[in-house]
Amino acid sequence: EAVVHQELPVLGVQWHPEKAMYEWSPTLAINHSNDSVELNSWTARFFVNECRKNDNRFADAATESQALIY
């Protein structure tokens, strides 16, 4: 369910780490235990912190706005 490159800063998962915290459905078997929420929260924060290491930026706010999908 997860891959990490041994030399490059590349990683990925095949699940949504935020799901246990934000998805509530009586028809889905989502584990909402404290351990599940805590681990998934840590994983989501880890990914966000890794993304913050990226120095790529848009040249200006107008260019960024054109690239947004919402």
Side-chain angles (χ1 to χ4, degrees):
E1 294 179 359
V3 295
V4 178
H5 195 278
Q6 292 182 347
E7 299 170 14
L8 300 174
V10 176
L11 52 105
V13 295
Q14 196 177 358
W15 79 94
H16 290 270
E18 77 285 357
K19 192 166 190 164
M21 295 176 283
Y22 299 110
E23 183 134 359
W24 297 85
S25 172
T27 59
L28 299 175
I30 299 172
N31 183 349
H32 292 101
S33 70
N34 189 47
D35 288 341
S36 175
V37 170
E38 187 174 334
L39 178 60
N40 284 288
S41 178
W42 181 91
T43 304
R45 284 192 313 273
F46 175 81
F47 280 135
V48 169
N49 288 331
E50 288 297 298
C51 292
R52 287 180 175 143
K53 295 177 182 178
N54 188 327
D55 291 332
N56 294 322
R57 303 287 185 268
F58 286 97
D60 53 54
T63 306
E64 179 180 1
S65 180
Q66 290 174 345
L68 296 176
I69 61 172
Y70 54 85

